[in-house]
Amino acid sequence: MKVVKFGGSSLATGEQFDKVVNIIAADPERQVIVTSAPGKRSQGDAKVTDLLIHYAQQIQQHQDATTTAVQITARYQEISAFFDLPPETMVLISHKLGALATTPFADADHLMAAFKAHGELLNAILLAAVLTHQGIPAKFMDPKDAGFLVGGEPNNADVLPATYLNLSHVSLTGPRIIFPGFFGYSPSGDIYTFTRGGSDITGAILSRGFKADLYENFTDVDAIYTVDPRIVAHPAVISKMSYREMRELSYAGFSVFQDEAIIPAVQGQVPVNVKNTNNPTAPGTLIVPEQFLFNPANPITGIACSARFSALYLHRYLLNKEVGFTLKLLEIFQRYGISYEHMPSGIDDLTIIFDQSKLDAPTINALCHEIRQTLKPDYLEWIDDYAIIMVVGEGIAHTVDTMGRVIDSLTQHDIAIQMINQGASRISIMIGTQRKDAAAAVRHIYDTFFVKSEV
Ligand code: ASP
């Protein structure tokens, strides 16, 4: 049995729905289908989720929301008209959208979550109707009826462990199950949504809960590429990768999934297949547990690069002999509520790397001031100009020359390496460079491992 999730661009128009219907019909194993809300139809178009957020804000501020409600209804209407559906489904969808405006909610956060969730909820109702109309028996399943329970905050939910037990009791025989992504219910019965892009999480949770053989995630790219196509034109695709390779790559900028979105699938040991709705026969990228993978032909699976980092460099003579230095430093971070990303260290030196999107200038100044006062380093420097390149591959752990080849490819082109660290996982090499060098560094590493190895 497969759980299949379709992203917003795959469910944005009648034409796209038609492709989705064909994909579902082509494989009887595709038993559980997870919907996103209709996404953008073209550049500049609005996603239904964004329209719903606007709708929620207007209702909260007691503004006239008629135009927004009409715009949202029109998105579903367009798809319904494409298939010439009998009117009941659109009557139901319009009714549910209208009813939202007059439903009382505990507070603004609960209201926002419920409005947002309707993008996927209404799309699941619509897809079930379209499939049935096309002769493929399908039924909408409300997450409430499946016991899909979440905790956390209304707009930042976490799945509750009871969900998995509840899902194991759901009968999967009979019509295909169409399940809305992105949200669940709190134990008190309120709608809570995951973070944006959270339909992927729903698919992963259902894969684990239903013990699926495969989680197919349909999006609008043929596969995950070995490197960002904006840096290297027409890069090689990754046909197979391990979960932890995926996680290390998405950490440093790969953006097909939020890496955390597939954690439930990892926990359930369910392989994930990223595929393209617009080219469904392409094999896509298969993401599997580590033990299924080793490709000795190329130790590297992918190269990612991110400029979202800053570093704090500290130098203090005899740092290695000083007991408690790092502890005091970490206590300062804790007081400021700051988490660090990496901390490579030497005899007298320590570099701490931060995700700069989580820091602002006043915090950085206060932090540096306190470190100077408390720890009295001989030298302290805040480095804003920092990029991190992650060279990732299960094969790294099994080869002896990969690190050397990576370094050679950079030194041959006069690219200065500010930091290099073979990751604790043993499947990644992390390189810090100046931002201006990052794209060229990625290209040279790519050429070394992917172009030269093919000749
Ligand atoms: N529709 C939601 C969003 O736009 C969730 C998703 O598409 O996965 O964030």
Side-chain angles (χ1 to χ4, degrees), residues 274-408:
V274 178
K275 285 177 72 88
N276 189 354
T277 301
N278 305 314
N279 186 11
T281 52
T285 297
L286 192 64
I287 307 168
V288 296
E290 290 74 55
Q291 59 269 30
F292 292 129
L293 190 97
F294 175 52
N295 171 14
N298 196 344
I300 301 301
T301 298
I303 309 159
C305 168
S306 172
R308 71 182 160 93
F309 297 100
S310 296
L312 175 67
Y313 171 71
L314 295 175
H315 176 82
R316 188 172 148 113
Y317 188 50
L318 293 178
L319 184 67
N320 63 324
K321 298 238 167 85
E322 196 169 323
V323 176
F325 185 91
T326 320
L327 176 67
K328 284 183 212 143
L329 188 65
L330 293 178
E331 278 169 353
I332 297 176
F333 295 161
Q334 190 183 28
R335 268 204 299 289
Y336 281 80
I338 294 172
S339 71
Y340 73 89
E341 304 289 310
H342 312 285
M343 196 185 294
S345 64
I347 309 174
D348 297 328
D349 313 85
L350 190 61
T351 303
I352 307 110
I353 297 162
F354 300 96
D355 180 344
Q356 64 168 302
S357 62
K358 296 188 184 139
L359 295 171
D360 55 24
T363 311
I364 294 169
N365 287 339
L367 180 72
C368 292
H369 178 75
E370 185 157 348
I371 292 172
R372 277 200 183 92
Q373 295 294 311
T374 316
L375 294 169
K376 308 213 176 338
D378 299 332
Y379 181 73
L380 177 154
E381 187 185 351
W382 183 265
I383 308 165
D384 256 332
D385 176 18
Y386 212 80
I388 281 191
I389 296 161
M390 293 282 270
V391 181
V392 176
E394 290 283 340
I396 294 176
H398 304 271
T399 50
V400 287
D401 63 341
T402 307
M403 174 83 98
R405 291 171 71 195
V406 169
I407 295 174
D408 278 354

Side-chain angles (χ1 to χ4, degrees), residues 110-307:
H110 285 81
L111 179 145
M112 180 56 81
F115 274 59
K116 277 192 314 190
H118 273 66
E120 348 295 287
L121 186 134
L122 301 179
N123 226 15
I125 293 175
L126 184 58
L127 180 60
V130 167
L131 284 163
T132 308
H133 188 250
Q134 301 297 99
I136 304 160
K139 63 167 191 243
F140 166 76
M141 184 173 283
D142 193 313
K144 191 181 257 171
D145 300 331
F148 196 102
L149 292 177
V150 293
E153 293 159 25
N155 294 284
N156 189 12
D158 301 313
V159 65
L160 292 178
T163 297
Y164 294 111
L165 184 64
N166 297 342
L167 290 175
S168 71
H169 296 136
V170 173
S171 162
L172 298 178
T173 50
R176 318 266 183 151
I177 293 169
I178 316 300
F179 202 102
F182 193 35
F183 74 96
Y185 287 85
S186 70
S188 53
D190 295 312
I191 288 183
Y192 281 18
T193 59
F194 295 118
T195 48
R196 291 297 303 266
S199 299
D200 286 331
I201 307 178
T202 305
I205 293 168
L206 296 185
S207 303
R208 177 178 159 188
F210 292 149
K211 299 190 174 44
D213 300 307
L214 185 66
Y215 172 24
E216 289 183 314
N217 191 299
F218 278 88
T219 165
D220 52 10
V221 291
D222 269 351
I224 302 178
Y225 294 104
T226 46
V227 67
D228 187 337
R230 288 168 301 186
I231 299 180
V232 173
H234 312 298
V237 300
I238 301 174
S239 54
K240 200 179 194 189
M241 70 198 300
S242 68
Y243 290 135
R244 55 182 185 171
E245 286 177 323
M246 166 77 202
R247 190 160 152 66
E248 302 240 4
L249 286 167
S250 61
Y251 170 76
F254 271 36
S255 62
V256 174
F257 289 125
Q258 273 173 358
D259 54 329
E260 287 170 26
I262 59 167
I263 287 176
V266 177
Q267 291 163 337
Q269 298 276 295
V270 183
V272 182
N273 195 182
V274 178
K275 285 177 72 88
N276 189 354
T277 301
N278 305 314
N279 186 11
T281 52
T285 297
L286 192 64
I287 307 168
V288 296
E290 290 74 55
Q291 59 269 30
F292 292 129
L293 190 97
F294 175 52
N295 171 14
N298 196 344
I300 301 301
T301 298
I303 309 159
C305 168
S306 172

Side-chain angles (χ1 to χ4, degrees), residues 424-441:
S425 67
R426 304 197 304 150
I427 62 151
S428 67
I429 298 170
M430 180 187 293
I431 300 150
T433 67
Q434 283 187 299
R435 277 196 201 138
K436 70 171 176 43
D437 291 332

